[in-house]
Amino acid sequence: AAPSRGERGGGERRAVARMLIPLPPMPAGDATTSGAIASLKTPVLLVLIVQTVLCGFKIFVLLDIMGGFITAIGIGIGWYGWSNNMHLTFLSYWGFMCLIDGAFGLVRLIDMQVHSPYNFYESGKGAHTYNVIQTFRLLIPLSQLLGAVMAYVVFKRSQEPEQRRLNTYSDDAPRPSAAPQRQTFQTFQGSGQRLGDS
């Protein structure tokens, strides 16, 4: 049967979404993985706080509105995953976006410094403000890369219960017993009897 108009429309929308956002499927968490990564909730919180402060500096001091908005989206996804019992899927998206944003931010900083007539840090009158701004320019992409590392640590920690289950299953699995010994016998054994014998 030919697909209906609604089915065709839904398939086209999914195809467009895959072309616009070519992201791999992220891991899904459950109660077991949430318990395994519960100990990382405080480190993730600290990273998110640092990222939020630096993102505010990026927007309101450096006046990088577009870049700060993109950074804020990734941080918002991280806050959502953290507030939802360390939801592994959203934390994975957070780490993925932090990796991209941090890498591009670091490359952009290097490109600006290469073409700048000034050193990264200067000395002299009025250099203090310039050095502080340069420090924040460096810390912003580094904090994003730190978020990517933290998301990877969370993902690796979430895989430990599954690995333990696999190891337990392999230890408890019945091992094949030794092959049974083949019984040898010969046909027509014993003494024969003639018809009529008692």
Side-chain angles (χ1 to χ4, degrees):
S4 63
R5 181 177 180 181
E7 293 175 348
R8 288 197 302 268
E12 292 173 357
R13 285 192 295 270
R14 287 190 295 269
V16 171
R18 284 194 297 268
M19 288 187 294
L20 292 178
I21 310 176
L23 296 179
M26 293 297 174
D30 53 19
T32 305
T33 56
S34 297
I37 62 181
S39 60
L40 297 174
K41 192 168 186 177
T42 300
V44 172
L45 174 62
L46 294 177
V47 173
L48 286 170
I49 292 175
V50 171
Q51 287 183 338
T52 303
V53 173
L54 292 176
C55 181
F57 185 89
K58 184 177 184 179
I59 296 175
F60 299 106
V61 178
L62 299 180
L63 300 180
D64 186 2
I65 308 301
M66 182 58 68
F69 177 73
I70 296 175
T71 302
I73 292 176
I75 298 174
I77 294 176
W79 277 112
Y80 184 82
W82 178 85
S83 62
N84 280 270
N85 196 24
M86 297 286 287
H87 198 289
L88 185 60
T89 302
F90 290 100
L91 291 179
S92 299
Y93 279 114
W94 167 60
F96 190 79
M97 295 187 67
C98 283
L99 177 62
I100 295 177
D101 189 41
F104 275 95
L106 194 59
V107 170
R108 181 184 178 187
L109 178 63
I110 295 174
D111 181 72
M112 290 175 57
Q113 189 59 38
V114 167
H115 294 88
S116 173
Y118 304 102
N119 295 324
F120 191 80
Y121 287 116
E122 290 286 347
S123 60
K125 185 178 180 180
H128 177 72
T129 303
Y130 171 81
N131 292 338
V132 170
I133 292 177
Q134 289 293 92
T135 301
F136 275 94
R137 288 184 186 273
L138 178 61
L139 290 178
I140 290 171
L142 290 182
S143 68
Q144 294 300 105
L145 295 177
L146 179 61
V149 173
M150 181 58 65
Y152 178 75
V153 173
V154 170
F155 171 75
K156 293 295 290 184
R157 182 70 61 85
S158 69
Q159 301 303 305
E160 291 179 359
E162 181 66 23
Q163 187 63 37
R164 284 198 296 267
R165 284 196 295 266
L166 293 177
N167 294 337
T168 303
Y169 175 78
S170 61
D171 294 338
D172 296 340
R175 293 176 173 81
S177 58
Q181 298 181 355
R182 300 175 63 182
Q183 298 180 356
T184 58
F185 63 92
Q186 297 178 357
T187 57
F188 305 108
Q189 289 182 341
S191 59
Q193 293 184 352
R194 296 180 179 180
L195 294 175
D197 293 344
S198 55

